[in-house]
Amino acid sequence: MLTRLMALAASGLLLSACGTTDPAPPPPPRLHHQIVFVSTRAGGRQLHVMNADGTQVRRILIHSAGEASTPSVSPDGLRIVFNLNADIYVVNADGSGETRLTTGGIFNGEPVWSPDGMRIAFSSQRDGNNEIYVMNADGSSQVNLTQNAAEDYSPAWSPDGTRIAFTSNRDGNADIYVMSAAGGPALPLTTDPTSDYQPAWSPDGQRIAFGSSRDGGNDLFVMKADGSSVTRIPAPTGNLAYNRWSPDGTRLVLQCPDQPANGTTDICTVQPDGSAFTHLAADSLSYDLFPTWSP
């Protein structure tokens, strides 16, 4: 027995000397239940991240070549896809490894990850008008899903990955539509004579939040996923935009007017019933824009 223990110890020393027992490299940076947004507080429109309560704001990416917008975090929290000028890029959660996914000098924007992390839906003007496209996560196999003469934009995946909701003016004004994630016929979920836009699916797939001017301003509404039971989310201020659900479905993060109002924008959260409306990381000298929640 003693001889065997001595042999194991000697083997361990030999492995250590050969370097095979060196500690494993640290895991890659991962975002978890944090809010990614764009802010001008560091000059230009740069990617930032903060905790869900608005603390520990930090800049992710410094990009001198243009202005970022519409970030979306991958389902594993490891990557962020975003719009920069007229194209779509992806970076690691710490801002490293930037890769361009679209090219061509035509607007490509509003990227959003599929729930399985394998694809990215986005809008593009490469066919002369805004259309909904989908591509693989590495930028390959870019396919037009809508193929319609109308303006189609702001795609949003259903949580099960089978459908995509989007905004379209194909019936004369902006409404919310839904189609298969493989393309094909699109069905209207709203038919209001005013504008409905920027759909966001709840994590349980039961509801869709969206912006609307149907009450005379830019307010936040929620409906069932089939378009029924439309209700306004009461909020102490109007001019709300770009809403996204928290991973647990209890809150929405959105772009809201600065408080006190001075013409800039903040990031706010609100519960679906309109309660607990909260300003996060307010900076009266900057614009905070395009918030999204990480998984």
Side-chain angles (χ1 to χ4, degrees):
M1 182 68 176
L2 180 59
T3 301
R4 183 182 179 189
L5 290 175
M6 292 175 64
L8 289 173
S11 176
L13 290 173
L14 179 61
L15 288 174
S16 178
C18 293
T20 57
T21 59
D22 288 345
R30 183 189 302 269
L31 298 171
H32 180 66
H33 291 195
Q34 293 168 287
I35 294 171
V36 176
F37 63 105
V38 171
S39 180
T40 63
R41 62 184 65 199
R45 293 187 177 186
Q46 307 288 349
L47 292 182
H48 287 67
V49 65
M50 62 182 168
N51 293 335
D53 61 1
T55 60
Q56 297 186 16
V57 178
R58 62 182 175 84
R59 184 172 51 197
I60 297 176
L61 182 65
I62 303 173
H63 208 297
S64 60
E67 297 189 334
S69 64
T70 60
S72 174
V73 184
S74 62
D76 59 10
L78 294 177
R79 292 173 293 170
I80 304 167
V81 66
F82 65 101
N83 192 203
L84 183 68
N85 298 334
D87 274 306
I88 295 170
Y89 291 72
V90 65
V91 293
N92 295 327
D94 61 359
S96 65
E98 180 180 281
T99 303
R100 186 174 181 174
L101 300 182
T102 64
T103 59
I106 302 297
F107 175 79
N108 301 285
E110 301 180 304
V112 59
W113 291 95
S114 64
D116 62 5
M118 302 300 292
R119 293 170 294 170
I120 296 170
F122 62 103
S123 63
S124 178
Q125 295 177 355
R126 66 187 66 182
D127 293 320
N129 61 292
N130 273 309
E131 301 272 17
I132 304 299
Y133 275 71
V134 68
M135 61 182 166
N136 293 335
D138 62 1
S140 64
S141 301
Q142 300 181 15
V143 178
N144 184 338
L145 296 184
T146 47
Q147 299 179 2
N148 192 281
E151 299 294 318
D152 300 326
Y153 50 99
S154 298
W157 293 88
S158 63
D160 63 5
T162 63
R163 292 171 291 169
I164 295 176
F166 62 99
T167 308
S168 179
N169 68 351
R170 59 185 64 192
D171 287 330
N173 62 284
D175 276 306
I176 308 299
Y177 285 74
V178 66
M179 65 179 173
S180 166
L187 300 176
L189 295 180
T190 67
T191 55
D192 196 86
T194 60
S195 294
D196 299 327
Y197 46 87
Q198 292 175 342
W201 232 298
S202 64
D204 62 5
Q206 299 299 305
R207 294 171 291 174
I208 295 175
F210 63 99
S212 179
S213 61
R214 61 181 63 195
D215 280 358
N218 294 314
D219 295 306
L220 193 59
F221 287 73
V222 67
M223 61 183 171
K224 291 184 178 179
D226 63 2
S228 63
S229 303
V230 177
T231 57
R232 180 176 175 270
I233 298 177
T237 179
N239 293 320
L240 308 177
Y242 206 79
N243 65 94
R244 296 291 185 269
W245 294 83
S246 63
D248 62 5
T250 63
R251 288 179 291 170
L252 289 147
V253 66
L254 60 146
Q255 186 178 302
C256 60
D258 189 37
Q259 191 62 252
N262 67 353
T264 60
T265 54
D266 281 348
I267 305 301
C268 295
T269 58
V270 65
Q271 294 181 4
D273 63 0
S275 62
F277 191 90
T278 305
H279 285 255
L280 302 180
D283 185 330
S284 62
L285 300 179
S286 67
Y287 289 85
D288 294 334
L289 310 157
F290 307 115
T292 190
W293 234 294
S294 70

